[in-house]
């Protein structure tokens, strides 16, 4: 089954404790992206990747890192999480540039930083 | 920063009503306009990807139009059903990035 998976689905952590949210897709998509969703703000793009080893900042990259060492995986790293990173996070992928192709979203990761 | 605006923020309609929402986006540097349907506790799912001025797309009772010159898109739902209750997101796609509106939350009452 074609899908985007994220882990964990739920995470409660404390300020400053490094964490990684994994994202994997099995559709051989080149483009992958991370978003955060906050009430009233819609989805905001954190980072995106056009292909392996090619990543770039979205609108809200501060406090996050990503890597794209393999085509299928695009982990989101929070080196020192803070309470303002409490949010719902979605990973998404599409065949190539997002412009003409729909994005496929993972199930979401709800992160709480205390 | 390019802003994508959606209106209304929320909408309550009766089963059988037809309804529509608006998405406005900067018309400069336009590449594509996406519509997604997002049900509670699920992931957003694509409805339409539109690229050409004057584009009209239809999927069942849902249709969308696109005006790239003035920077707006309309989503229409004909004969709303309770299962249409969801948040409808639009996104303006640039060369590499995507910018989403805050969504229109639709509630259809039986």
């Amino acid at each position: 089954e074609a899908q985007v998976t994220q882990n964990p689905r739920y995470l409660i952590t404390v300020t400053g404790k490094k964490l990684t949210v994994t994202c994997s897709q099995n559709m051989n998509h080149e483009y992958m992206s991370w978003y955060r969703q906050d009430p009233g703000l819609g989805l905001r793009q954190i980072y995106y990747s056009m292909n392996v080893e090619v990543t770039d900042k979205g609108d809200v990259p501060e406090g996050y890192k990503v890597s794209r060492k393999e085509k299928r995986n695009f982990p989101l790293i929070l080196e020192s999480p803070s309470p303002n990173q409490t949010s719902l996070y979605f990973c998404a992928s599409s065949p190539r540039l997002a412009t003409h192709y729909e994005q496929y979203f993972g199930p979401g990761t709800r992160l709480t930083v205390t | 920063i390019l802003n994508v605006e959606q209106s209304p923020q929320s909408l309550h309609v009766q089963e059988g009503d037809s309804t529509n929402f608006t998405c406005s986006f900067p018309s400069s540097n336009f590449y594509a306009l996406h519509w997604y349907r997002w049900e509670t506790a699920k992931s957003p799912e694509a409805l339409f990807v539109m690229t050409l001025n004057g584009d009209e797309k239809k999927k069942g009772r849902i249709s969308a139009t696109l005006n790239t010159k003035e920077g707006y898109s309309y989503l229409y739902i004909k004969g709303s059903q309770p299962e249409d209750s969801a948040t409808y997101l639009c996104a303006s796609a640039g060369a590499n990035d995507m910018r989403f509106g805050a969504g229109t939350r639709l509630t259809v009452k039986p």
Side-chain angles (χ1 to χ4, degrees):
Chain A
E1 180 189 354
Q3 60 182 349
V4 179
T5 56
Q6 290 178 232
N7 282 293
R9 295 287 312 278
Y10 303 90
L11 180 60
I12 300 174
T13 190
V14 296
T15 300
K17 186 177 181 182
K18 180 179 178 180
L19 66 93
T20 298
V21 184
T22 64
C23 173
S24 184
Q25 49 92 7
N26 62 0
M27 296 171 277
N28 201 37
H29 286 172
E30 290 184 1
Y31 187 94
M32 297 186 75
S33 182
W34 275 103
Y35 299 91
R36 61 178 287 172
Q37 196 277 328
D38 301 291
L41 295 178
L43 291 169
R44 291 183 293 167
Q45 195 170 38
I46 303 170
Y47 270 94
Y48 60 89
S49 170
M50 305 273 280
N51 212 324
V52 175
E53 302 290 5
V54 182
T55 63
D56 209 345
K57 297 177 181 178
D59 286 332
V60 288
E62 296 78 19
Y64 305 95
K65 287 186 179 179
V66 293
S67 69
R68 188 92 182 272
K69 296 177 182 175
E70 306 165 282
K71 200 170 189 179
R72 63 184 293 127
N73 296 324
F74 190 45
L76 180 70
I77 303 154
L78 285 72
E79 293 270 1
S80 184
S82 61
N84 64 11
Q85 292 178 297
T86 292
S87 188
L88 177 60
Y89 291 87
F90 284 104
C91 178
S93 73
S94 65
R96 289 202 180 93
L97 294 179
T99 54
H100 300 280
Y101 294 93
E102 65 184 70
Q103 291 196 74
Y104 295 81
F105 284 84
T109 295
R110 187 165 291 281
L111 172 66
T112 301
V113 183
T114 61
Chain B
I1 295 178
L2 304 176
N3 288 325
V4 177
E5 305 284 344
Q6 289 188 247
S7 63
Q9 209 170 22
S10 65
L11 195 54
H12 294 252
V13 301
Q14 288 294 136
E15 181 175 355
D17 287 351
S18 293
T19 187
N20 63 84
F21 331 129
T22 304
C23 173
S24 62
F25 54 90
S27 54
S28 60
N29 205 31
F30 172 83
Y31 279 77
L33 193 284
H34 294 224
W35 281 101
Y36 291 86
R37 181 171 180 274
W38 186 13
E39 291 183 71
T40 303
K42 293 187 178 180
S43 308
E45 291 184 349
L47 287 171
F48 307 111
V49 178
M50 308 169 75
T51 58
L52 299 175
N53 185 45
D55 234 358
E56 290 188 33
K57 295 213 171 179
K58 188 175 181 181
K59 187 181 287 189
R61 294 179 290 99
I62 304 176
S63 61
T65 61
L66 179 66
N67 183 321
T68 61
K69 293 182 179 178
E70 295 181 42
Y72 64 83
S73 175
Y74 293 134
L75 188 79
Y76 301 90
I77 301 178
K78 185 178 178 182
S80 302
Q81 300 296 308
E83 58 264 30
D84 294 329
S85 296
T87 297
Y88 292 83
L89 300 169
C90 72
S92 177
N96 302 320
D97 58 355
M98 297 275 287
R99 286 191 170 86
F100 282 81
T104 293
R105 183 168 183 80
L106 173 67
T107 304
V108 183
K109 301 174 187 176

